[in-house]
Amino acid sequence: MRTARTRPQRTRVWLHISMVLLIAQAAQAQPTVGTYTGTLECGPLTTNPQQGAWSQPIQLTISGQSVTWERLDSRLSETGSGMLRNGRVSFNLEGRWSPGQRSTGQWRNVVMLEWKDSALSGPATIFSANGDQRLRDCSVRVAMAGGTKPVAVPPPVSASPAAAERARREQEANREKDALRERAIRENDERIARQREAQRREDEQAQRQAQERRDAQRRSQEAWEQQQQAVERQREAERKAKEEQERQRQVAAKQQQEREAQERAAAKTQQEANAKGAATRQAARIRALGLPADFVSSMLYVSYGAAWTELMPCAQWLGLLLENQKISEVRAITVRGRPGVSIKRPGQPAIGFVFRTEGKEAYVWALVTDDRASLLETPGEHMHVAQLLALYTDPSRMP
């Protein structure tokens, strides 16, 4: 048996049904609750296009009207949240590199997404941390299940005046909220558009200035090249003149060297002849020294560090010592039964050289200074003594 309902009861029923349908309509016109993965695709760096485009995964988590953003990259942190209203959501994200990464710094990411074709998608712009410099232009798309067109709601039956008035006021309040949200979204879009336009103008100005600098550099380079060519021609002429002068100088120098070589050869020949005759000229004084005959008739050998080499016959060496006007005394000495020669220069203590003989060969064996004999042991000592033996035979080299 059906119970008849009064008119106010029917009105409340239809109001309840209308509210349920309105809520269902709002829910069906937006994505459903859940976590979704999408893609953030960004173009080249505006300040350095060589740092090209890239693409990274992002994650959106929807819970009621709240939408949370997260960039899925362990090297950095970029998170934030926004409110989903009328199928739209915007994010003003703060990003930074994680500690320990090679890259450092912070940035802003402004994202505007709209629910359309079962996806939240829209533009994104990455700015410097203070928002003054646009760095990259990007796009976002996050596909997700759910979301349909609003379903038609049957018109409610006429309600009581009070209920109608409340519904009207709620509709006006919702319209005002929607208007404020639309205004905020529009102002944000306009702000981003202004920033992009300002950046575009700055880029164009920077390109013009760069082109002007390149043109100025090119003109400067051309002028510099012309100047360098003139300088190079002058240098070439000077180089040829110097080459001719150098050639003439070398010819004269070569002629002078040839003359000096001839003079040195003649002087050396004369000196060698004179040196070879010293033993004959000073034969009597050599015999008067009382040195052993086998030593006097030996060939004198010295060592310059590597091997023994002939210096000259002992008789010739003794004759040159006796003829040297810078030597005041030459006398024979004996150390441990070995023959030696003591040489005295004016104002200097005497120095003695002791020799050992092997057949017709005489080798310097020790050096006598301050009446004390020191055996020659090291190559350096032999080299020093060899230089002294030769020095005392040439007065021109003695200080």
Side-chain angles (χ1 to χ4, degrees):
M1 178 176 177
R2 299 177 58 186
T3 302
R5 295 177 177 172
T6 63
R7 183 178 181 84
Q9 289 176 330
R10 291 197 300 269
T11 300
R12 286 195 295 272
V13 171
W14 278 108
L15 284 173
H16 179 72
I17 294 173
S18 298
M19 292 299 293
V20 172
L21 290 175
L22 286 172
I23 294 173
Q25 174 185 346
Q28 291 175 346
Q30 299 186 111
T32 57
V33 173
T35 299
Y36 306 92
T37 302
T39 304
L40 171 66
E41 295 184 354
C42 293
L45 190 66
T46 59
T47 56
N48 184 11
Q50 292 183 352
Q51 297 189 18
W54 48 259
S55 175
Q56 280 194 327
I58 63 167
Q59 179 176 284
L60 295 183
T61 301
I62 301 175
S63 177
Q65 299 295 315
S66 176
V67 183
T68 302
W69 168 291
E70 181 180 2
R71 182 109 68 94
L72 300 178
D73 189 335
S74 60
R75 299 173 303 169
L76 53 87
S77 171
E78 183 183 271
T79 59
S81 62
M83 297 302 294
L84 183 63
R85 298 185 179 92
N86 296 330
R88 292 183 178 180
V89 61
S90 61
F91 302 93
N92 193 348
L93 306 168
E94 300 290 338
R96 60 176 51 85
W97 289 99
S98 300
Q101 299 297 320
R102 183 175 59 182
S103 300
T104 59
Q106 302 179 10
W107 62 89
R108 287 182 53 200
N109 190 359
V110 178
V111 184
M112 302 289 296
L113 303 182
E114 183 178 2
W115 172 255
K116 186 178 181 181
D117 298 331
S118 298
L120 279 174
S121 60
T125 305
I126 297 179
F127 295 91
S128 58
N130 57 12
D132 295 338
Q133 177 69 48
R134 177 175 60 89
L135 301 179
R136 294 182 186 268
D137 294 325
C138 312
S139 63
V140 180
R141 178 174 174 78
V142 182
M144 54 188 69
T148 62
K149 294 181 178 179
V151 298
V153 179
V157 297
S158 59
S160 64
E165 180 63 20
R166 286 195 301 272
R168 184 184 64 78
R169 290 179 180 176
E170 290 178 357
Q171 290 177 358
E172 289 180 355
N174 290 334
R175 282 196 298 271
E176 290 177 358
K177 292 180 181 178
D178 291 342
L180 290 175
R181 286 194 295 270
E182 291 292 338
R183 179 181 177 184
I185 293 173
R186 184 173 63 257
E187 289 178 351
N188 191 48
D189 291 344
E190 291 174 353
R191 181 180 60 81
I192 293 175
R194 288 194 300 271
Q195 289 178 342
R196 290 181 174 177
E197 178 62 22
Q199 186 64 42
R200 184 189 63 80
R201 289 194 296 268
E202 290 179 2
D203 292 345
E204 290 179 352
Q205 183 179 3
Q207 291 176 358
R208 287 194 300 271
Q209 292 175 349
Q211 184 61 41
E212 291 174 357
R213 288 194 297 270
R214 287 193 293 270
D215 293 341
Q217 290 175 354
R218 178 181 53 80
R219 290 191 295 269
S220 176
Q221 180 69 20
E222 290 176 353
W224 181 82
E225 290 177 354
Q226 293 175 357
Q227 182 180 3
Q228 289 299 111
Q229 291 174 359
V231 171
E232 186 62 27
R233 289 192 294 270
Q234 179 65 24
R235 288 177 178 175
E236 182 65 18
E238 293 176 355
R239 183 183 63 80
K240 290 182 177 179
K242 288 181 179 180
E243 287 180 351
E244 179 60 23
Q245 293 177 357
E246 179 64 18
R247 187 188 66 81
Q248 294 177 359
R249 187 193 66 79
Q250 290 179 357
V251 170
K254 185 177 180 180
Q255 293 174 350
Q256 178 65 22
Q257 290 174 356
E258 291 176 350
R259 287 194 298 270
E260 291 176 354
Q262 292 174 355
E263 292 174 357
R264 286 194 300 272
K268 184 177 180 180
T269 301
Q270 182 177 2
Q271 183 179 8
E272 290 176 351
N274 182 67
K276 291 179 179 180
T280 302
R281 293 191 299 272
Q282 301 296 328
R285 297 178 64 186
I286 293 173
R287 287 192 297 272
L289 291 174
L291 289 166
D294 58 345
F295 168 72
V296 175
S297 61
S298 297
M299 174 62 70
L300 180 58
Y301 285 83
V302 294
S303 173
Y304 290 97
W308 293 92
T309 183
E310 290 183 358
L311 178 62
M312 64 183 68
C314 289
Q316 179 180 335
W317 180 68
L318 293 170
L320 291 174
L321 293 180
L322 294 170
E323 290 183 349
N324 189 340
Q325 299 299 318
K326 293 183 178 181
I327 296 176
S328 59
E329 180 184 15
V330 177
R331 62 186 181 86
I333 60 176
T334 301
V335 177
R336 299 180 188 177
R338 299 181 185 274
V341 177
S342 176
I343 301 173
K344 177 72 172 69
R345 294 184 60 189
Q348 296 183 12
I351 183 172
F353 301 93
V354 182
F355 304 90
R356 61 183 176 84
T357 58
E358 297 180 3
K360 293 297 183 179
E361 299 173 350
Y363 299 90
V364 63
W365 176 69
L367 188 67
V368 179
T369 56
D370 298 329
D371 295 330
R372 185 174 59 186
S374 301
L375 298 182
L376 303 182
E377 297 178 349
T378 67
E381 293 172 347
H382 278 281
M383 180 180 296
H384 176 67
V385 170
Q387 293 171 348
L388 288 176
L389 293 176
L391 179 66
Y392 287 136
T393 63
D394 187 357
S396 63
R397 293 170 53 196
M398 294 177 62

